[in-house]
């Protein structure tokens, strides 16, 4: 009991350590299972390592280790457990022995790899974990698609040294790449540069599903686009949580973590909200009038406790006129300029928002640049023309509705390509409101 109640000190070594979720995850796990103690960040600069790391190792009960020290920490240790030796990288230290729990974290995500053709993007530490886990799980073949050919080739040789030969390195100039499962091991798409897409200029055809090691945002553009294509898509948050839990199990072998499994599962679900709070993004709802942008937007915002902004309402507030009045007195060109300015201002707000765009907002010229520089992810609510017309009726507040059906249909047809090209996530929006909101929440791995 004395041992059980001893105050413990854990921490994370790395540099830099800006927006780390680790203290929160570890602190909450420790609270749940009743381990008294703390988990702090230790951002040591490379030139401080030799003098400060030995002191840190002597004073802590356990240490996690991240970029750039996963390999350079090894000479400071007495040895490595097999899990770390296999990766040549350490992310957890206990009693001067190095471990690696990233593989455990990835395996816990249960990505289907057995018998699959697997394409891994990147050739760094995360990619190495994916490759060795794909071998362990019985992947049929593995290709490494990375921008630095030497790094890709080094990873291939390393995997071959583990007795697996069906692996090859592909340069970014490779022709079309076909695979069953794609694993993103690059940081492309990570907050704050959420508009990044890995392998953007590559013809990549994925048949079954994608996994992204990135956990911030909880769903990258890469994942959202995969979901929209009807294949499965999973983000890195669960992997992050599971590797942290595995480290706690190494540090505290006497604790029965199994007894707290439902509380720990709830913690895992709640982390997605914390990511949103720490790292603001804009969730932009787009689609034709009547697609449900305002209704779905406000329901979604309520479900995840985020502020909701209806762009049309913001415009009315700024202009001091209703939208039909602006159209009548100043004309459409004036309205579009105003809309663009208000949209930009909302995108620049410092907090996470659900933002319902107008039907014509994303159709405007120059939108690619505006979105490209933003931290926005676009959710396209796709409805058929008959549904849109049925929902909107003859709403007097919608000047773009036009005078007749033919005009509305022409507008629908002309706007659709823009909606589709900017869609990060395409959601069929004919059905029930709760179902549409749930689909968006599950794409982001959020729970209410
Ligand atoms: P790393 O060792 O630095 O490797 C990054 C890889 O991505 C390298 O191959 C690098 O290529 C490539 N890359 C970087 N920027 C690129 C760009 N703009 N275009 C194309 N390729 C680019 O990093 P890591 O430790 O593997 O981490 C990579 C990602 O995985 C991070 O987002 C990290 O958060 C994530 N991760 C998540 C977990 C988790 O628990 N969820 C665990 C591990 C890693 P070069 O060699 O040419 O620079």
């Amino acid at each position: 009991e004395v041992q059980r109640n001893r105050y413990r000190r854990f921490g994370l070594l790395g540099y830099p350590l800006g927006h780390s979720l680790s203290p929160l995850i570890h602190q909450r796990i420790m609270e749940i299972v009743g381990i008294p103690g703390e988990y702090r960040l230790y951002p040591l600069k490379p030139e401080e390592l030799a003098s400060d790391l030995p002191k840190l190792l002597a004073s802590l009960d356990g240490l996690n280790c991240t970029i750039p020290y996963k390999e350079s920490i090894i000479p400071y240790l007495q040895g490595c457990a097999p899990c770390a030796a296999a990766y040549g990288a350490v992310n957890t230290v206990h009693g001067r022995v190095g471990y690696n729990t990233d593989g455990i974290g990835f395996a816990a995500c249960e990505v289907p790899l057995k018998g699959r053709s697997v394409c891994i993007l990147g050739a760094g530490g995360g990619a190495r974990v994916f490759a060795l886990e794909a071998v362990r799980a019985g992947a049929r073949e593995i290709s490494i698609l990375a921008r630095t050919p030497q790094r890709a080739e080094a990873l291939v040789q390393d995997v071959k040294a583990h007795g697996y030969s069906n692996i090859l390195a592909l340069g970014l100039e490779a022709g079309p790449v076909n695979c069953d499962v794609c694993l993103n091991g690059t940081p492309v798409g990570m907050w704050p540069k959420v508009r990044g897409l890995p392998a953007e200029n590559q013809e990549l055809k994925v048949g079954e599903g994608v996994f992204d090691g990135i956990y911030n945002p909880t769903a990258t553009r890469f994942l959202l686009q995969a979901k929209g294509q009807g294949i499965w898509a999973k983000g890195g948050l669960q992997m992050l949580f599971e590797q942290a839990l595995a480290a706690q199990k190494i540090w505290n072998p006497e604790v029965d973590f199994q007894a707290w499994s439902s509380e720990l599962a709830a913690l895992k679900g709640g982390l997605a909200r914390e990511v949103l709070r720490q790292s603001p993004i804009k969730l932009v709802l787009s689609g034709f009038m009547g697609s449900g942008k305002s209704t779905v937007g406000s329901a979604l915002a309520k479900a995840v406790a985020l502020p909701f902004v209806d762009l049309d309402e913001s415009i009315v507030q700024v202009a001091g006129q209703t939208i039909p009045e602006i159209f009548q007195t100043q004309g459409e060109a004036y309205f579009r300029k105003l809309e663009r300015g208000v949209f930009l201002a909302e995108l620049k707000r410092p907090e996470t928002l659900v933002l319902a765009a107008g039907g014509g907002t994303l159709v405007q010229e120059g939108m690619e640049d505006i979105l490209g520089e933003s931290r926005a992810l676009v959710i396209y609510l796709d409805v058929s023309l008959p549904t849109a017309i049925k929902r909107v009726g003859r709403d007097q507040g919608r000047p773009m509705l036009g005078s007749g059906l033919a005009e509305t249909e022409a507008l629908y047809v002309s706007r659709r390509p823009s909606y589709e090209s900017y869609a990060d996530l395409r959601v069929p929006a004919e059905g029930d409101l709760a179902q549409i909101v749930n689909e968006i929440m599950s794409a982001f791995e959020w729970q209410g």
Side-chain angles (χ1 to χ4, degrees):
E1 205 43 34
V2 172
Q3 170 68 8
R4 185 85 175 73
N5 290 327
R6 187 174 59 82
Y7 190 85
R8 296 161 207 214
R9 291 184 171 81
F10 304 110
L12 173 63
L13 167 73
Y15 194 82
L17 289 175
H19 281 268
S20 177
L21 269 186
S22 292
L24 179 89
I25 297 175
H26 283 277
Q27 211 75 61
R28 295 259 171 94
I29 293 175
M30 289 159 69
E31 279 162 24
I32 288 172
V33 304
I35 298 169
E38 62 182 43
Y39 185 101
R40 291 196 190 169
L41 296 179
Y42 295 98
L44 293 194
K45 293 189 181 124
E47 61 272 23
E48 295 166 340
L49 206 62
S51 62
D52 292 5
L53 181 55
K55 287 185 238 161
L56 205 55
L57 287 170
S59 68
L60 296 181
D61 295 281
L63 185 68
N64 280 138
C65 174
T66 187
I67 293 171
Y69 302 128
K70 285 186 173 183
E71 292 164 21
S72 50
I73 194 173
I74 294 175
Y76 294 87
L77 305 176
Q78 281 163 3
C80 280
C83 56
Y87 293 121
V90 163
N91 81 338
T92 301
V93 181
H94 182 49
R96 295 287 172 111
V97 176
Y99 298 79
N100 195 315
T101 63
D102 280 338
I104 300 171
F106 179 60
C109 297
E110 298 180 329
V111 173
L113 297 165
K114 191 176 163 58
R116 306 314 203 273
S117 155
V118 178
C119 176
I120 297 173
L121 309 179
R128 177 174 306 254
V129 170
F130 296 161
L132 292 174
E133 284 301 313
V135 169
R136 209 184 49 77
R140 187 174 82 244
E141 58 182 15
I142 302 173
S143 50
I144 307 291
L145 190 58
R147 67 176 176 185
T148 309
Q150 302 89 312
R151 249 189 131 177
E153 198 46 51
L155 177 53
V156 164
Q157 292 313 323
D158 197 20
V159 172
K160 283 188 171 168
H162 281 77
Y164 183 91
S165 54
N166 253 356
I167 179 165
L168 84 166
L170 301 172
L172 288 186
E173 73 291 346
V177 176
N178 290 296
C179 62
D180 300 320
V181 175
C182 181
L183 312 172
N184 179 30
T186 78
V188 183
M190 188 162 75
W191 193 90
K193 296 184 180 170
V194 302
R195 302 293 304 165
L197 269 178
E200 190 169 20
N201 302 314
Q202 190 81 35
E203 204 185 318
L204 180 62
K205 285 212 181 76
V206 187
E208 207 179 318
V210 300
F211 178 86
D212 200 329
I214 294 172
Y215 50 83
N216 181 9
T218 51
T220 55
R221 281 183 81 204
F222 184 57
L223 286 187
L224 294 176
Q225 293 187 357
K227 280 244 161 158
Q229 287 160 19
I231 58 177
W232 62 258
K234 203 170 177 31
L237 193 59
Q238 187 187 353
M239 178 176 170
L240 181 77
F241 173 80
E242 300 286 355
Q243 62 80 25
L245 184 60
Q248 285 288 341
K249 288 179 180 172
I250 291 170
W251 295 331
N252 305 290
E254 75 288 1
V255 175
D256 180 10
F257 287 86
Q258 195 58 40
W260 303 97
S261 53
S262 55
E263 289 83 355
L264 291 169
L267 163 58
K268 184 165 61 183
L271 286 174
R273 295 266 294 278
E274 190 55 30
V275 174
L276 267 188
R277 203 188 57 77
Q278 281 190 9
S279 313
I281 55 170
K282 304 290 173 287
L283 299 160
V284 175
L285 292 159
S286 91
F288 199 62
M289 52 187 132
S291 60
K293 297 181 293 293
S294 304
T295 317
V296 173
S298 68
L300 176 68
K302 197 167 166 213
V304 284
L306 286 173
F308 171 65
V309 170
D310 190 319
L311 190 67
D312 282 351
E313 284 175 14
S314 299
I315 294 169
V316 169
Q317 261 185 13
V318 169
Q321 281 181 303
T322 66
I323 291 175
E325 280 167 4
I326 304 171
F327 267 75
Q328 270 161 24
T329 58
Q330 332 255 16
E332 185 179 350
Y334 176 88
F335 172 80
R336 293 293 169 209
K337 201 167 158 213
L338 185 62
E339 177 185 44
R340 201 183 146 92
V342 176
F343 185 53
L344 254 174
E346 297 292 2
L347 288 179
K348 286 187 176 154
R349 276 171 60 170
E351 69 272 36
T352 297
L353 289 182
V354 177
L355 172 58
T361 315
L362 297 194
V363 179
Q364 290 202 45
E365 261 182 45
M367 237 345 109
E368 201 166 334
D369 293 338
I370 290 178
L371 285 175
E373 282 161 25
S374 74
R375 291 174 189 170
L377 295 171
V378 179
I379 301 161
Y380 165 39
L381 301 178
D382 191 7
V383 280
S384 67
L385 181 61
T387 303
I389 290 174
K390 200 165 83 198
R391 285 189 188 159
V392 173
R394 302 241 48 85
D395 187 341
Q396 293 308 306
R398 296 180 186 263
M400 293 310 290
L401 198 52
S403 49
L405 261 186
E407 230 176 90
T408 307
E409 184 173 356
L411 190 68
Y412 179 87
V413 170
S414 72
R415 285 181 170 183
R416 217 179 143 90
S418 292
Y419 297 145
E420 282 174 355
S421 79
Y422 289 121
D424 293 321
L425 178 68
R426 183 192 151 272
V427 181
E430 304 279 327
D432 166 61
L433 176 64
Q435 193 188 331
I436 298 166
V437 170
N438 269 338
E439 188 165 338
I440 300 171
M441 299 223 340
S442 90
F444 282 93
E445 302 182 16
W446 290 327
Q447 291 174 356

